[in-house]
Amino acid sequence: MSSLPEESKAKAAAPQSKAKEKKEESAGGKFVELPGAKMGEVVVRFPPEASGFLHVGHAKAALLNNYYKESFQGKLIMRFDDTNPAKEKEEYEEVILEDLKMLQVRYDYFSRTSDHFETILKYCDKLLKEGKAYVDDTDAETMKIERDAMTKSKNWDNSPQKNIAMWEEMKKGSEAGTKCAVRAKINMESPNGCLRDPTIYRCKPEPHPSTGTKYKVYPTYDFACPIVDSVEGVTHALRTTEYMDRDDQFNWFIDALGLRKPHIWAYARLNLTNTVMSKRKLTWLVDEGAVDGWDDPRLPTVRGVIRRGLTVEALKQFIIAQGSSRSVVFMEWDKIWAFNKKVLDPIVARHTTVDQVYNVPVLVAGAKLSSHMSAKHPKNPDVGEKTVWTGPRLIIDGADAEQLKEGENATFINWGNLMIKKVNKKDGKVISVDAEQNTDNKDFKKTLKVTWLCDEQEKSPSTPAILVYYDHIISKAILDKDDDFKKFIEPSSKHEFEMLGDPELKTLKKGDMIQVQRRGYFICDVEYRPYNSCVGRARPVVLISIPDGSVGSYGAPGKAPPAKGPEKKTTTKEGKKQGGAPTPAKQGKAASPAAAAGSGSGDKLNANVTAQGELVRKLKADKAGKPEIDEAVKKLLALKAEFKSATGQDWKPGMTITKAAAAPAGGSADAI
């Protein structure tokens, strides 16, 4: 073993005490002081398999490792796990590295597991020669049966000489060799299935993207990982709790080979409601056209959520708030988007759009065409100013026109109060509004707030715009183990509305985020382009709605929370432009979806959540098995999600179900 790297030889681990927990008060999360960690000496790694796009679960792993690297002024290794040549695709390496750039994760070293194939091969030789491993030609089905029955293989007692001979056949890729696998001789009677002589090498005579046809045998991830972690100087291996059963296996390989032992720390994987995280299921959604690609805003991929407007800063805050907890829970998307709103709200410019299909002219008596400068953000002057044109003819949403009352002031945001003189109707529908200026009146407290555009195409040309709203791709919050996810794919999860926008929208660049007043936050997905004679029109700016964490911020505006039982859906073809724009945030006495739902179903769900919570506490007190507790917790979370969908409220112990209060008539006057 003299030829093995010096750093892979046995070294004493730094003395350490039990991991201490500390509160990160600024972020609200709970982090663990890494055992044995020393400032400037911590080395962590992010080892994805190059077989697909990163999703937010991978993002948690990358950002958590990056957090510890920065906290301890250490190093981060970006390592591709390419132990399986069949799954490794070079194009995905580039994709993943681009995803890390999007996440602002900066690694210090780059490697591939295949860089160490020769070293790993020699360690397999060592185990075989020392009788700590054997070559087994048992077929896969029989091997599984024997492992489940804790029965030793017929090859368990092979002599080292026979094992080496069979190993040579594997390395040649011969017909006999392809039927064999190398297994570590650990403990076939262990209650931990991961210790029942796991496979550490397989014979696969196929080319590898990095090593070509040099090797006919490839190590398993479980065997390669501890070796490469030790060789590359990793001090702390962060792994999700699903790997905890493999920790003893990891340490057995380290001890059997005499390697330096990294510290292992487990954290909970990120589980999110109303989606799927499985690579196989995500691939199905893309391949079958259920979504528009790997960057579709409905997917939990890094590219998808960033395209939908999730900021890296918000994702970091969300991950830090979770900390390195080991509690396995399903998180609602609401929490991520609520963090995002806190990031966006203080810094994004405010813009205006009006329904292209149903808008109403407002004729302002005595008004002259003029312009003034107005703040792009009501509370942040650093965002800048914009030119606002006013004049004798304005246009507003038809839905707003229907709320106007004759003889009352209405506040036209970014101008002031106008007195409504006459609301002209035909066949019950508002066709125009007569008003006069009353901007000297500064009482905005109880007035209707209206967004508008000056109908003057020469001085204030409107911008054609399309607002795109996405719903959850999976209609059920938490899929049960036996659920077929294909049966819960939301058939109408994309909605588009044609709008007229303010002139400033023409300047937006792809990725710019804004707030459309009274409609929510949006990200520019397609930039505006002027009139093109080839297509006979200008290219509209396309804005994707960014959820803000509220119940109503998913799907088409005004959509009621999903009701219990089957509900007939409209058959609007996904992606087709809708006739009529989303109604702005209504003012007055319109009941909220929670109020509309009533309290009957809420009371029943409240009782169900309470009962399930008591069951979870009892199971924990009785020290029931982990699978039984996990299943009970999963059901509890599903009930809480159902409660929120039905009532619009987060469940809290001891709460009473009441109808939501009506929104105040005045609304917010921030932007006046």
Side-chain angles (χ1 to χ4, degrees):
M1 299 301 288
S2 59
S3 62
L4 294 178
E6 181 64 29
E7 63 267 31
S8 68
K9 296 180 181 178
K11 295 178 184 177
Q16 46 96 20
S17 58
K18 288 186 177 180
K20 298 178 181 179
E21 294 182 349
K22 66 176 181 179
K23 288 281 185 181
E24 291 284 337
E25 295 182 2
S26 61
K30 184 168 66 175
F31 271 88
V32 171
E33 293 177 355
L34 296 177
K38 293 182 180 179
M39 190 62 67
E41 296 182 11
V42 168
V43 180
V44 290
R45 85 292 197 264
F46 177 58
E49 184 179 68
S51 59
F53 288 73
L54 296 186
H55 56 57
V56 288
H58 299 120
K60 176 177 180 178
L63 290 170
L64 199 57
N65 276 286
N66 198 58
Y67 175 87
Y68 279 119
K69 164 209 162 176
E70 292 177 348
S71 297
F72 287 96
Q73 299 174 21
K75 305 292 182 185
L76 170 62
I77 297 170
M78 167 60 221
R79 180 202 308 153
F80 279 117
D81 165 39
D82 56 352
T83 52
N84 188 342
K87 289 186 177 181
E88 170 70 12
K89 291 183 173 60
E90 290 179 279
E91 61 266 28
Y92 284 128
E93 289 193 2
E94 185 176 340
V95 163
I96 289 172
L97 294 178
E98 288 174 356
D99 286 349
L100 290 181
K101 285 183 181 178
M102 291 182 183
L103 292 171
Q104 299 170 18
V105 171
R106 296 176 178 85
Y107 53 87
D108 300 277
Y109 301 104
F110 174 84
S111 71
R112 296 182 177 87
T113 299
S114 58
D115 296 341
H116 305 278
F117 274 176
E118 199 62 34
T119 297
I120 300 169
L121 204 67
K122 290 179 179 178
Y123 277 124
C124 185
D125 288 339
K126 174 179 168 66
L127 292 181
L128 288 169
K129 290 174 182 176
E130 293 178 356
K132 296 177 182 176
Y134 59 97
V135 180
D136 193 1
D137 60 1
T138 303
D139 64 89
E141 185 177 349
T142 302
M143 188 183 296
K144 182 182 184 304
I145 293 171
E146 290 178 346
R147 293 184 80 231
D148 289 344
M150 302 184 185
T151 302
K152 291 179 180 179
S153 164
K154 62 183 180 182
N155 291 295
W156 196 88
D157 286 319
N158 284 355
S159 66
Q161 292 76 18
K162 182 177 180 180
N163 283 326
I164 293 297
M166 295 173 74
W167 175 229
E168 289 301 321
E169 290 301 310
M170 287 180 66
K171 288 193 285 186
K172 291 177 187 175
S174 67
E175 184 178 351
T178 58
K179 298 176 182 178
C180 298
V182 181
R183 298 175 65 182
K185 190 182 287 188
I186 304 180
N187 183 2
M188 279 299 292
E189 297 179 356
S190 173
N192 182 347
C194 296
L195 297 181
R196 294 177 203 157
D197 295 6
T199 297
I200 62 174
Y201 254 98
R202 293 187 176 93
C203 181
K204 290 189 174 185
E206 55 188 273
H208 187 282
S210 295
T211 60
T213 57
K214 181 178 180 180
Y215 300 100
K216 304 295 189 296
V217 291
Y218 297 98
T220 60
Y221 173 80
D222 285 342
F223 183 54
C225 184
I227 294 173
V228 179
D229 279 350
S230 186
V231 168
E232 291 189 338
V234 172
T235 60
H236 295 82
L238 276 61
R239 315 199 316 172
T240 53
T241 51
E242 61 196 298
Y243 282 95
M244 289 180 73
D245 286 346
R246 287 177 160 82
D247 287 354
D248 288 341
Q249 183 194 90
F250 182 105
N251 290 324
W252 185 91
F253 287 131
I254 290 289
D255 293 338
L257 296 169
L259 297 171
R260 177 190 58 82
K261 183 179 293 185
H263 295 286
I264 300 174
W265 181 255
Y267 63 90
R269 66 178 294 175
L270 178 57
N271 297 305
L272 288 163
T273 59
N274 297 100
T275 193
V276 290
M277 305 279 267
S278 156
K279 196 175 300 179
R280 176 183 61 82
K281 294 175 182 177
L282 291 173
T283 300
W284 187 92
L285 290 172
V286 173
D287 290 347
E288 295 299 317
V291 294
D292 298 328
W294 285 97
D295 65 345
D296 190 288
R298 290 164 288 189
L299 292 185
T301 56
V302 168
R303 295 179 181 221
V305 295
I306 289 179
R307 185 180 169 204
R308 194 171 188 174
L310 183 64
T311 62
V312 173
E313 179 58 32
L315 187 55
K316 284 181 179 178
Q317 289 182 16
F318 172 73
I319 298 303
I320 291 172
Q322 287 188 75
S324 45
S325 167
R326 296 183 181 184
S327 300
V328 179
V329 297
F330 274 82
M331 304 290 291
E332 293 179 339
W333 283 99
D334 300 359
K335 292 179 172 59
I336 295 182
W337 294 116
F339 274 105
N340 202 53
K341 178 184 177 181
K342 290 179 181 178
V343 173
L344 294 181
D345 192 67
I347 60 172
V348 297
R350 272 51 172 171
H351 289 267
T352 302
T353 64
V354 170
D355 184 353
Q356 185 179 39
V357 177
Y358 179 29
N359 59 70
V360 172
V362 178
L363 308 176
V364 187
K368 302 295 183 183
L369 186 64
S370 64
S371 66
H372 65 271
M373 300 305 293
S374 181
K376 289 184 177 181
H377 192 293
K379 297 179 181 178
N380 185 355
D382 292 338
V383 179
E385 292 185 320
K386 60 184 176 182
T387 301
V388 176
W389 284 89
T390 59
R393 183 182 172 92
L394 315 176
I395 55 172
I396 64 174
D397 281 319
D400 283 343
E402 291 172 358
Q403 295 190 68
L404 294 174
K405 294 183 179 179
E406 295 176 357
E408 292 187 4
N409 278 327
T411 301
F412 281 59
I413 296 173
N414 289 329
W415 189 4
N417 283 342
L418 299 184
M419 175 61 68
I420 306 303
K421 305 300 290 184
K422 181 71 174 175
V423 178
N424 303 300
K425 296 183 178 181
K426 183 177 181 181
D427 299 328
K429 191 173 183 179
V430 179
I431 57 172
S432 68
V433 175
D434 296 324
E436 63 182 26
Q437 292 187 73
N438 193 21
T439 52
D440 290 338
N441 183 314
K442 305 297 182 183
D443 183 3
F444 307 125
K445 289 184 179 179
K446 296 182 179 180
T447 57
L448 184 77
K449 307 302 183 293
V450 179
T451 45
W452 54 278
L453 294 175
C454 183
D455 193 11
E456 167 52 55
Q457 290 305 304
E458 183 178 343
K459 298 289 187 181
S460 181
S462 60
T463 305
I466 296 175
L467 303 188
V468 185
Y469 295 81
Y470 289 100
D471 206 340
H472 295 301
I473 189 63
I474 300 296
S475 59
K476 187 176 182 180
I478 301 176
L479 294 173
D480 293 327
K481 184 178 180 181
D482 298 327
D483 281 342
D484 179 359
F485 79 99
K486 298 171 190 174
K487 295 180 180 178
F488 296 95
I489 295 174
E490 179 60 55
S492 180
S493 56
K494 181 179 180 181
H495 310 270
E496 296 184 356
F497 300 92
E498 293 183 330
M499 310 290 286
L500 297 173
D502 63 47
E504 300 276 339
L505 290 178
K506 293 182 177 69
T507 66
L508 292 182
K509 302 298 182 186
K510 184 176 175 63
D512 285 350
M513 296 183 219
I514 63 170
Q515 183 188 92
V516 176
Q517 293 181 111
R518 300 174 59 232
R519 299 191 197 279
Y521 302 96
F522 291 82
I523 182 171
C524 178
D525 192 52
V526 178
E527 299 172 12
Y528 167 83
R529 287 288 182 270
Y531 178 86
N532 186 326
S533 58
C534 294
V535 294
R537 63 179 177 84
R539 186 177 77 182
V541 60
V542 178
L543 305 174
I544 293 176
S545 174
I546 306 173
D548 62 12
S550 63
V551 175
S553 63
Y554 305 94
K559 186 195 78 168
K564 293 179 71 176
E567 179 183 40
K568 187 175 181 180
K569 296 184 178 293
T570 59
T571 56
T572 304
K573 185 177 180 181
E574 181 178 317
K576 184 177 180 181
K577 293 180 178 61
Q578 310 286 311
T583 306
K586 284 202 173 183
Q587 302 163 50
K589 297 183 179 180
S592 70
S599 61
S601 61
D603 288 334
K604 184 176 180 181
L605 284 169
N606 183 28
N608 290 344
V609 173
T610 301
Q612 188 66 20
E614 291 173 354
L615 174 62
V616 170
R617 285 190 290 274
K618 184 177 186 302
L619 289 172
K620 289 181 177 179
D622 295 344
K623 296 183 178 180
K626 188 175 183 299
E628 187 178 1
I629 294 176
D630 286 347
E631 188 62 31
V633 170
K634 186 176 179 181
K635 185 175 180 181
L636 174 62
L637 292 169
L639 286 169
K640 286 184 176 181
E642 190 177 352
F643 176 88
K644 185 170 183 177
S645 292
T647 67
Q649 303 173 63
D650 286 315
W651 185 87
K652 295 178 182 178
M655 73 184 298
T656 55
I657 312 302
T658 58
K659 290 189 176 183
S668 171
D670 278 351
I672 299 168

